[in-house]
Every structure is written in structure tokens, then in C-alpha cells.
Amino acid sequence: MKLAMKSIVAAAALVAVGAASAASQTVTVGGSVNGYTLTGGSGALTFDRSLVTAINTGGIQLSAVTPATATLLKTSTGKYNNTDGNRPVFNAPITSLVVDTVSGQVTRASTSGGALMVAPATIEGEDNLASTGGSLSVTNINVDLVAKRVYVDINGANGVGSKTNYYLWDIASITGDTALKDGTAITTITGLTIAGGTTGDAFNTFAKSLGLTETGIVAMKGITSYGSIVSTITATKASTPPTPPIPEPSTYALMGLGLVGIAAVARRRAK
């Protein structure tokens, strides 16, 4: 009897695993999930004060990579404004979400476009003490709300090249709406810190792409946070109940294995 019970539990576990594999669904703008249609949204990345300080130290110039847009305010000296409410902001459109169809929670959010940073080798005819010259684009941000990680596509100078879905930042805190709703869901993501710290691959990739000298690296090590992201996701609720998601083929296969296991137990008991 103990053997039979263990076999039944194991078979049930296989069925449960199969069902879980169909719990997540990717939805793009215009698509529907759990009775909601995703109509749009955006992610606004605001640079932190410490990041703006490092950018101004290196004379780095910022611009938006379409379809993202940027609000870049400068002071009379040509430096980027580093006061509350006036720091650089990059706004990128939402392209897709991954939604847990059981809980209704958004587990991932992706945007298109991003930011380009260009570090000059000279400033006003003199060598740039913080950089020998370089550039780095950070685009197509993909936020993993479960693991609290940010992945991006980057393209760096000085031999770095292109990297897709690159683990760039860790997230300290996520607050606000984390599930779709009828109207606008707002999520605030704060405390973006470089993945792996100042000795990790992400930090070294930044430094190499921008051609940072020792002075530039010291400035970059002073960055306590790269900024915050405010995500706004708009959706409309369908007036009719949603069609249940169709299980993946793997779900049927695992359910079949579970049923075979149960049948085997029944045969043993019959003998």
C-alpha cells in the first residue's frame, strides 16, 4: 500500500509540473491574456544623481535610441541638470509582457529603444581626463520582476561589440501594481545597481565601452544607483469571460506519463 501511495503521489506531481509549464503567457501590444487586452504603456528610466555626476565628470553626451525619447536638460555650463525633477529621463514604449495566467501577475516587461552614451576623447581641444573615447548603447530593456533583474541589449565601442539580453542591473525594490487591470497599472522600480558590483563583467563592459581612464573608473565606482524606472501599462478588460489557455504539448505528454503511472499502480494492486 505504501508503494502504491508513493507511485500515485509521483504521478500526480508529474501532472502538476505539466500544468505549471502552461501558466505563463507572453502578450504583445494588441494581444489579450486573462480577459485583458494590452493597449500600450511605457517605461521611464530616470538617471540617479550619482550617475549624472559621473556622466558630467566624463563629459559624456546622451541621446535617445528610437523609438525611445529623452528629456535632457542642461545647465548654462553645458552640464546635465542634476537637480530633482530635472535629471535625464528616457521613455521607451512597452512591447510585450509575460503574465502568470494563474495569479494574473506580470512577471516580465519589455520595452523598445533606449539610450546612447558617447564619451569624447577630447573636451574643448584638450584630452579628456576621464576617457580616451568610446560609446555604449543600452536598449530593449527587459525587466524580470520575479528575479529582480534587468536585462538589456548593448552595443559597445573599443571591441565590446553587441550583447543581447545582457544582465546589467539588479533591482532593490518594486512597488505599485504588478498585475494587469482595467485602465493604467503603475509600477515603480528603484535602486538599480550594477550586476556583479564594481568587479563584475557589467561594470567592466561599461568602462571598456566608454574608454574610461582611472579618473573615469573612480567616478563610475561612485555611482550608488543607476536610477529608477516607472512603468505604466494600459489595458482594457473584455466584457466576456476569457477562453482558457490551451495547454502546451508538453503538458499533455506529462499528463499522459502521470496517467500511465496511475494505471501501472492499479495493475499491481489487481494482481
Side-chain angles (χ1 to χ4, degrees), residues 27-29 33 36-44 92-99 105-111 143 145 177-187 189 230-236:
V27 58
T28 56
V29 175
V33 59
Y36 293 94
T37 298
L38 177 63
T39 59
S42 63
I94 292 284
T95 55
S96 67
L97 305 174
V98 176
V99 179
Q105 296 293 307
V106 175
T107 58
R108 278 182 179 264
S110 300
T111 63
V143 179
L145 298 170
D177 302 312
T178 55
L180 288 178
K181 68 179 185 180
D182 192 15
T184 301
I186 300 176
T187 308
I189 297 166
V230 175
S231 169
T232 57
I233 299 171
T234 56
T236 56

Side-chain angles (χ1 to χ4, degrees), residues 24 48 55 70 97 124 130 153 167 169 177 183 194 206 215 240 251 258:
S24 292
D48 183 77
I55 287 171
L97 305 174
E124 296 180 351
D153 292 346
Y167 174 26
W169 292 316
D177 302 312
I194 199 79
F206 248 85
T215 298
T240 56
T251 303

Side-chain angles (χ1 to χ4, degrees), residues 20-228:
S21 69
S24 292
Q25 181 178 334
T26 300
V27 58
T28 56
V29 175
S32 299
V33 59
N34 278 22
Y36 293 94
T37 298
L38 177 63
T39 59
S42 63
L45 169 63
T46 301
F47 283 9
D48 183 77
R49 179 179 181 180
S50 59
L51 175 57
V52 178
T53 297
I55 287 171
N56 283 335
T57 298
I60 295 172
Q61 298 302 303
L62 305 173
S63 61
V65 177
T66 57
T69 59
T71 301
L72 304 171
L73 304 177
K74 290 188 175 183
T75 66
S76 58
T77 61
K79 303 285 188 181
Y80 287 104
N81 197 311
N82 204 5
T83 58
D84 290 343
N86 297 304
R87 297 188 181 100
V89 179
F90 289 85
N91 203 306
I94 292 284
T95 55
S96 67
L97 305 174
V98 176
V99 179
D100 185 316
T101 56
V102 176
S103 66
Q105 296 293 307
V106 175
T107 58
R108 278 182 179 264
S110 300
T111 63
S112 181
L116 172 65
M117 296 167 278
V118 178
T122 60
I123 298 176
E124 296 180 351
E126 296 187 3
D127 289 343
N128 182 353
L129 298 179
S131 171
T132 57
S135 64
L136 176 67
S137 66
V138 177
T139 60
N140 304 331
I141 291 177
N142 184 323
V143 179
D144 186 333
L145 298 170
V146 178
K148 290 187 175 181
R149 291 181 173 184
V150 178
Y151 297 85
V152 301
D153 292 346
I154 66 171
N155 196 313
N158 301 316
V160 171
S162 299
K163 297 177 185 285
T164 303
N165 202 35
Y166 183 71
Y167 174 26
L168 182 62
W169 292 316
D170 288 312
I171 299 169
S173 175
I174 301 172
T175 57
D177 302 312
T178 55
L180 288 178
K181 68 179 185 180
D182 192 15
T184 301
I186 300 176
T187 308
T188 301
I189 297 166
T190 56
L192 299 179
T193 54
I194 199 79
T198 57
T199 60
D201 185 72
F203 184 94
N204 293 331
T205 296
F206 248 85
K208 184 176 180 179
S209 297
L210 295 172
L212 298 184
T213 63
E214 188 59 36
T215 298
I217 290 173
V218 169
M220 188 174 170
K221 285 182 176 179
I223 300 172
T224 55
S225 170
Y226 283 71
S228 61

